[in-house]
Amino acid sequence: MRIKIHNYSLLVLACLIGFVNSPTNKAFAGNAIVPLGFGAESNAMGGTDMAYSSTPSGINNNPAGIARVPHSEIEFAIEPHVLVGIRHKDSLGNDRRSDHDRAYLFSGGWLSPLANHPNVVVGVGVFAQGGVGFKYVDLLTDYGTRDDISALFGVFRIAPAIAYSVSDKLRLGLSVSINYAEAEQELFPNISDAATGFFGTKITDVNGYSYSWRAGLQYDVSPTITIGLAYGAPTELKLEGGKATVNFEDIGLGRVNYANAKIDGLSIPQEIGLGFSWQVTPQLNLGADINWYEWSEALGKVKTSLSQPQQTAPMDRINAVGDFGGQNNFSKSVAAIYRINDTSTVYSGVSHINNAIDGSALSPVNNLTGKWHFNLGYRHNFSSNWTGVVSYTYAPDSSRSYTNSQLPLGDESEAAFKIYSMLFTVRYNW
């Protein structure tokens, strides 16, 4: 008997959020699978950070900016996210929100100038680098059954960095990183239909380590204008060593466990960012960024391999290749900073992100729609050593209609996205 394995059931893991202490609670405000920015100030300005980065979080924005730091500094941050409008609707009558409606991200970092070379600053940062997660339970399917679909993915990054003040105007920076990725997926595990070739699949515990780097520069064109440029190399994500279960009940083989599951082809995209800041008055600063992301490679061709079946199986190895429809996009942001006095500063920012996935490739678990972000922030210097920063991000309703013939969810579907988050940072210098 020739068995057709439905490719999509093995490839839906392209929907990805980084979560440091629980990689299965995911979803956040950002550009597809990467956060809007790193650090409270960056988030408060809508991700406008190329010409501003000068805190430990700046290691993962524009590492050149950390050369501005004149003293040792450490920071800790927590970022709760609330997903109030992540929703799937379709022509079968399903209208459900994702069951994953909370996420809590943690990050931190340390910087210090070298004692004998104060124009050189070194540091290290830990970040929830990227991902996304959605889970829908009890969906009605084309087979007349109710079943679940989910995809959860997280990336955690540790990034040492070094920056050098070449002159009073020019700063250069470099960070290298170790990245840990983990994912799991469930695609209608109770469906088994030989006539259509759809066999429900569950994949767990795929994970692995990879390496990447980021470089940048900042240049003071004048005492009031700074430009920033940064490049982030693509981060290949290692997802291997997992387990899988495929439902072959309709052909009399039951549910077959595969001892080895592997996914190749997913990555955090290559990125180029350019921005400026303008000190308009002693109190007011304005800035803007534009960033380009290579999603066509990061969410392009993906291969999923299952091997080492533990029971009788129709095949010893399953290989599935699919295209997730990634399309290169730009994010644009503008920001304003107003210093009220020596202890209080307010931030604001607006950003817009184009769609990272072609509409024909959308599904309930890769709801990566283009969206606006509106942001506010406040910084308070409690003393000469202690600083606190809080930022708020709101992504209003955004929806796209699509048809995905590979999923048993009717002829027409709609993906909706709405989220808000806050980021709290405490910083200490000495």
Side-chain angles (χ1 to χ4, degrees):
M1 178 184 296
R2 181 179 180 271
I3 303 299
K4 175 186 175 183
I5 301 297
H6 199 286
N7 284 359
Y8 200 82
S9 69
L10 300 178
L11 293 172
V12 74
L13 273 170
C15 170
L16 317 169
I17 168 185
F19 190 21
V20 173
N21 60 351
S22 178
T24 59
N25 283 326
K26 320 197 188 319
F28 59 71
N31 181 3
I33 64 171
V34 296
L36 184 66
F38 295 93
E41 288 92 342
S42 176
N43 275 267
M45 296 189 291
T48 307
D49 45 39
M50 289 296 105
Y52 291 96
S53 294
S54 58
T55 67
S57 297
I59 288 172
N60 221 26
N61 295 318
N62 184 351
I66 66 174
R68 292 174 168 179
V69 177
H71 43 235
S72 297
E73 191 169 290
I74 191 169
E75 73 173 23
F76 300 96
I78 180 173
E79 186 175 4
H81 291 254
V82 179
L83 290 75
V84 293
I86 309 299
R87 183 181 292 274
H88 166 78
K89 297 172 64 176
D90 59 47
S91 57
L92 295 181
N94 291 307
D95 185 357
R96 292 190 178 273
R97 291 183 177 179
S98 171
D99 272 25
H100 278 273
D101 59 358
R102 297 288 190 277
Y104 300 90
L105 313 183
F106 298 88
S107 62
W110 162 83
L111 299 174
S112 182
L114 296 181
N116 297 325
H117 301 280
N119 59 338
V120 177
V121 176
V122 296
V124 63
V126 292
F127 307 97
Q129 174 61 26
V132 152
F134 303 105
K135 180 177 182 179
Y136 297 90
V137 300
D138 201 36
L139 291 180
L140 181 64
T141 73
D142 288 337
Y143 300 98
T145 61
R146 290 192 174 274
D147 214 334
D148 305 338
I149 182 172
S150 66
L152 308 170
F153 183 99
V155 183
F156 173 59
R157 168 172 289 182
I158 300 176
I162 185 170
Y164 174 55
S165 293
V166 180
S167 66
D168 291 340
K169 294 184 176 182
L170 177 63
R171 297 171 291 280
L172 303 176
L174 173 69
S175 68
V176 296
S177 62
I178 301 172
N179 304 275
Y180 172 75
E182 182 174 321
E184 61 183 58
Q185 176 252 328
E186 188 175 46
L187 185 70
F188 305 124
N190 298 316
I191 294 177
S192 183
D193 189 84
T196 58
F198 196 104
F199 300 96
T201 305
K202 183 175 182 179
I203 300 176
T204 60
D205 300 330
V206 284
N207 59 77
Y209 293 89
S210 60
Y211 307 93
S212 189
W213 60 276
R214 175 177 289 265
L217 66 83
Q218 287 182 347
Y219 184 74
D220 300 327
V221 179
S222 71
T224 59
I225 296 176
T226 298
I227 59 172
L229 175 68
Y231 170 77
T235 305
E236 179 186 2
L237 301 179
K238 296 290 187 181
L239 293 168
E240 53 195 13
K243 302 174 183 178
T245 301
V246 183
N247 189 343
F248 289 123
E249 290 175 351
D250 199 40
I251 58 173
L253 296 177
R255 303 195 182 200
V256 177
N257 298 312
Y258 287 81
N260 186 42
K262 181 181 180 182
I263 300 172
D264 293 308
L266 293 176
S267 64
I268 301 295
Q270 179 177 221
E271 173 193 353
I272 299 174
L274 176 65
F276 77 91
S277 72
W278 174 30
Q279 194 68 46
V280 183
T281 71
Q283 289 77 37
L284 178 64
N285 184 287
L286 302 176
D289 274 10
I290 183 169
N291 294 69
W292 174 81
Y293 298 88
E294 193 180 26
W295 293 113
S296 60
E297 292 295 325
L299 297 178
K301 298 289 185 182
V302 179
K303 178 182 178 181
T304 301
S305 303
L306 308 182
S307 61
Q308 300 178 23
Q310 303 301 290
Q311 297 86 24
T312 301
M315 57 194 72
D316 290 338
R317 177 178 291 273
I318 298 173
N319 293 311
V321 179
D323 192 335
F324 278 96
Q327 52 188 15
N328 301 339
N329 74 353
F330 287 90
S331 69
K332 290 83 65 178
S333 63
V334 294
I337 305 173
Y338 188 79
R339 186 172 65 86
I340 300 172
N341 51 46
D342 290 342
T343 60
S344 299
T345 303
V346 293
Y347 300 80
S348 64
V350 178
S351 68
H352 182 263
I353 300 161
N354 297 323
N355 291 315
I357 289 184
D358 184 80
S360 63
L362 277 176
S363 83
V365 290
N366 68 353
N367 180 2
L368 307 179
T369 58
K371 51 192 176 288
W372 290 89
H373 293 83
F374 300 93
N375 312 271
L376 293 171
Y378 174 73
R379 185 181 72 193
H380 186 79
N381 298 324
F382 297 101
S383 69
S384 59
N385 302 107
W386 288 98
T387 299
V389 190
V390 60
S391 68
Y392 173 82
T393 297
Y394 174 65
D397 287 314
S398 176
S399 62
R400 295 175 74 187
S401 297
Y402 66 94
T403 299
N404 191 323
S405 60
Q406 300 182 90
L407 287 178
L409 291 173
D411 298 324
E412 298 292 333
S413 298
E414 180 181 280
F417 190 101
K418 181 180 178 181
I419 187 173
Y420 63 85
S421 66
M422 299 189 73
L423 198 160
F424 302 91
T425 296
V426 175
R427 192 174 296 132
Y428 178 76
N429 68 75
W430 67 94

